[in-house]
Amino acid sequence: MPVLGGLWAQDLGLRDPGQGVGADVTAGVTPNEEDEGPPSPVWGPLGSSPVTCGALSLALELPALLRQLRAAWRARRGGPRGPEQGQTPGAWRVEVEELGQDAEEKSAQRAADGILARGHAGVLLAERRGSYPLIDLRILNTNVQQGVLEAGSRRSVKRQLSFQRYCHASRLLRGQVPRGPGSLHLLDHHYLGQATHMLSKVGTWNFDIFLFERLTNGYSLVTLMCHLLNVYGLIQHFHLDMVKLLRFLGMVQDDYHSHNPYHNALHAADVTQAMYCYLKESKLAELLSPTDVFLGLLAAAAHDVDHPGVNQPFLIKTGHHLASLYQNTSVLESHHWRSTVGMLRESGLLSHLPLCMRQDIEQQLGSLILATDISRQNEFLSTFREHLNHQSLDLHQAPHRHFILQIALKCADVCNPCREWNLSRQWSERVCEEFYRQGDIEKKFALEVSPLCNQQEDSVPSIQIGFISHIVEPLFEEWCRFTEPSPLSHTMMDLLQQNKTWKYDRESALRKAARGT
């Protein structure tokens, strides 16, 4: 066989143990180790070369090959189980060389005839036939060990490996788990089990997105979106191509900046999970169309894509090209929308749909993302309050359902103070850290420090108290009225009041400590 010929030199010497395959084959073999059966000068108990018997599986061929290699190793080392009496090492060398040549010729003939052995090898090859790119793990490991894997290559490899995971996860969610001994995903089963267990509870409000991020190796957004689209049957409804879908979601994930403490892919995953909880509200669940759900989840996942980590006033006063492009109006939100549309077109995710349908999805997606502009908070809140006061919302009408989706996305975007304290605290620290970084940049370049961005004057509790009082509370009070109120709304309002009280206490303690110093 070709591998056998590569392992042995002219004098039956093994390759250096540090060079890949040779070390693996002989690992753990000692001269005094006992064989499982009587020694044979050729193939042990099989009595013939496995390449001459196409019906034999690789699982049956491999033990005989190992016994042959062990016997040759003992012959080389002169151990007690070396060549049989009367047989010289030279004769062994000739037999092994002839065996290697015969194996090479017959292996080449089988490849030319297109005949594949059934059994273990067949399962392995079947698993390798996928829509995802293949990875040469030997090259990957070598590059990592030598430290020469560049950032771009590492990013590409990470995405490819994640694609293998997500394709496998989608099969797992449909109950099509590969169980062959040659599965490429054996090492992922434990990881997928934990992530799948969490996904079974993705509709609960205490879902820990930070833990899910760790379980998915930093790919919580892609994993969550694949799961939710599958739960709603949207992949089948819109006839989405899985390769294009994974490509699009991978582009969205990568276009979030991980160096942002708050506006990153983890925040997008958190907003998507909250949006899913709101879409399940009894007032909405039975009236939303598949297009409504698809737009809601897609807008939640991409609503902050390519966020630079600074706010709109910073872009305007520094003359950023985005501010000029969008004429100082909803600068970031317009950029998020246009970036999402660009990725949709580049991935070709919706290319099979009629042009009018694609344009309608892109426009409605923009309307949803633009609604997250915090400067338009009072505009949406007053319209929402007016609808509720006059009971004029008719969710059987598409424009009214779209308006409620806008409100739901706004709620999901600012729902952090309504989470349990251990989650809310982490989000508070992250968003304030991003504010402080912007303030440090403004100080460095002698710019006026934006409100809430001065770490010496604006504490985390004070920022959060103002955010809750002016933004979160008014919005969720109206959302609670809309849901009449649901158990989820009760839970969110209770947690909001608790978190606000804790932040008040924390702020009071900080002020006392400041006066004491």
Side-chain angles (χ1 to χ4, degrees):
M1 299 174 69
V3 175
L4 184 65
L7 287 175
W8 301 90
Q10 294 299 322
D11 59 350
L12 286 180
L14 285 172
R15 284 184 179 178
D16 184 80
Q19 297 181 359
V21 182
D24 296 335
V25 171
T26 59
V29 178
T30 60
N32 296 324
E33 184 179 353
E34 293 295 325
D35 261 339
E36 298 176 356
S40 170
V42 186
W43 286 102
L46 290 181
S48 61
S49 169
V51 295
T52 63
C53 185
L56 291 177
S57 67
L58 182 61
L60 296 178
E61 297 172 8
L62 188 56
L65 175 62
L66 291 178
R67 281 192 292 271
Q68 178 67 25
L69 295 179
R70 287 171 182 168
W73 168 265
R74 296 189 184 99
R76 171 69 175 171
R77 297 293 298 270
R81 297 295 300 272
E84 294 183 355
Q85 188 174 3
Q87 190 171 13
T88 63
W92 267 86
R93 186 183 307 118
V94 171
E95 289 180 6
V96 172
E97 289 176 354
E98 291 177 352
L99 176 63
Q101 294 173 0
D102 183 58
E104 288 179 355
E105 293 174 358
K106 295 189 178 182
S107 177
Q109 181 179 357
R110 284 201 309 161
D113 295 339
I115 300 175
L116 293 176
R118 300 182 183 274
H120 188 120
V123 173
L124 180 61
L125 291 175
E127 286 299 323
R128 287 187 178 275
R129 294 193 202 100
S131 57
Y132 45 81
L134 295 174
I135 301 296
D136 190 336
L137 296 178
R138 293 173 299 177
I139 297 177
L140 175 62
N141 292 335
T142 301
N143 289 341
V144 172
Q145 291 172 2
Q146 295 177 355
V148 299
L149 194 61
E150 299 180 356
S153 301
R154 186 180 298 110
R155 179 175 176 180
S156 176
V157 166
K158 184 178 180 182
R159 177 186 291 184
Q160 290 174 340
L161 289 174
S162 66
F163 277 8
Q164 292 185 3
R165 247 189 338 263
Y166 301 146
C167 289
H168 181 55
S170 65
R171 292 199 300 272
L172 193 144
L173 292 173
R174 297 194 301 268
Q176 301 173 6
V177 184
R179 302 185 182 278
S183 172
L184 295 178
H185 312 283
L186 291 176
L187 298 180
D188 289 339
H189 284 174
H190 182 63
Y191 148 79
L192 284 171
Q194 297 179 24
T196 305
H197 176 70
M198 285 201 69
L199 285 174
S200 67
K201 302 180 179 180
V202 70
T204 59
W205 190 245
N206 61 351
F207 187 82
D208 190 342
I209 197 65
F210 296 99
L211 174 59
F212 190 66
E213 174 81 352
R214 294 192 291 272
L215 290 178
T216 56
N217 195 29
Y219 278 81
S220 58
L221 179 58
V222 179
T223 308
L224 183 62
M225 278 295 292
C226 285
H227 174 72
L228 295 181
L229 292 175
N230 187 63
V231 165
Y232 278 108
L234 298 175
I235 298 176
Q236 293 77 14
H237 179 82
F238 291 102
H239 304 287
L240 301 179
D241 183 276
M242 279 303 298
V243 175
K244 293 180 180 179
L245 176 61
L246 291 173
R247 183 186 180 197
F248 168 73
L249 293 176
M251 292 166 66
V252 172
Q253 173 92 32
D254 287 342
D255 274 14
Y256 278 99
H257 303 306
S258 58
H259 59 263
N260 290 343
Y262 183 80
H263 289 104
N264 50 38
L266 181 60
H267 166 65
D270 182 65
V271 173
T272 303
Q273 190 270 336
M275 188 68 172
Y276 174 61
C277 292
Y278 299 154
L279 294 177
K280 288 177 57 185
E281 290 279 26
S282 57
K283 196 75 174 288
L284 282 174
E286 297 181 357
L287 297 175
L288 293 175
S289 68
T291 302
D292 295 330
V293 176
F294 181 67
L295 284 168
L297 295 176
L298 193 60
H303 78 284
D304 272 333
V305 71
D306 200 30
H307 196 290
V310 294
N311 57 21
Q312 176 174 294
F314 181 91
L315 298 179
I316 293 175
K317 67 184 177 184
T318 55
H320 196 274
H321 71 277
L322 289 178
S324 302
L325 179 64
Y326 298 111
Q327 300 178 354
N328 299 341
T329 303
S330 298
V331 175
L332 289 172
E333 290 73 25
S334 298
H335 179 57
H336 304 325
W337 168 37
R338 295 298 184 183
S339 298
T340 305
V341 170
M343 288 183 287
L344 278 173
R345 295 179 180 180
E346 181 180 347
S347 65
L349 179 62
L350 307 178
S351 59
H352 62 288
L353 300 178
L355 177 60
C356 59
M357 188 176 183
R358 294 201 305 268
Q359 293 175 341
D360 182 60
I361 289 177
E362 291 176 357
Q363 290 301 318
Q364 292 193 61
L365 187 63
S367 177
L368 290 174
I369 293 177
L370 289 173
T372 61
D373 186 354
I374 203 68
S375 65
R376 301 179 62 191
Q377 177 79 2
N378 292 333
E379 171 192 342
F380 279 93
L381 188 58
S382 61
T383 303
F384 192 30
R385 188 179 290 122
E386 184 178 351
H387 274 302
L388 295 176
N389 291 338
H390 294 87
Q391 298 183 352
S392 58
L393 279 174
D394 182 6
L395 297 182
H396 292 90
Q397 300 182 24
H400 287 194
R401 293 199 306 272
H402 184 78
F403 175 74
I404 290 301
L405 286 177
Q406 290 177 313
I407 298 298
L409 182 58
K410 290 178 66 64
C411 290
D413 193 24
V414 298
C415 71
N416 302 147
C418 301
R419 297 282 192 179
E420 292 185 349
W421 171 249
N422 65 315
L423 303 177
S424 176
R425 176 184 56 81
Q426 295 183 68
W427 288 120
S428 300
E429 294 172 351
R430 283 170 173 259
V431 70
C432 291
E433 174 62 24
E434 192 164 298
F435 289 163
Y436 297 153
R437 288 188 183 185
Q438 176 178 325
D440 293 341
I441 295 174
E442 291 169 334
K443 291 177 183 178
K444 180 178 180 180
F445 293 96
L447 299 172
E448 180 182 359
V449 178
S450 300
L452 310 180
C453 296
N454 192 330
Q455 189 169 5
Q456 283 68 40
E457 299 178 3
D458 304 307
S459 65
V460 174
S462 65
I463 292 175
Q464 288 300 301
I465 290 172
F467 179 63
I468 291 173
S469 301
H470 296 97
I471 302 296
V472 182
E473 267 185 333
L475 180 61
F476 277 90
E477 285 174 357
E478 301 306 321
W479 180 260
C480 191
R481 286 177 61 195
F482 168 71
T483 56
E484 295 181 343
S486 67
L488 175 59
S489 295
H490 270 304
T491 300
M492 290 191 299
M493 294 304 294
D494 290 344
L495 291 172
L496 180 63
Q497 294 304 319
Q498 293 175 17
N499 292 337
K500 186 177 180 181
T501 301
W502 288 336
K503 293 181 192 298
Y504 266 122
D505 295 341
R506 177 61 178 165
E507 177 64 13
S508 299
L510 290 176
R511 288 179 178 177
K512 289 181 181 179
R515 287 196 298 267
T517 55

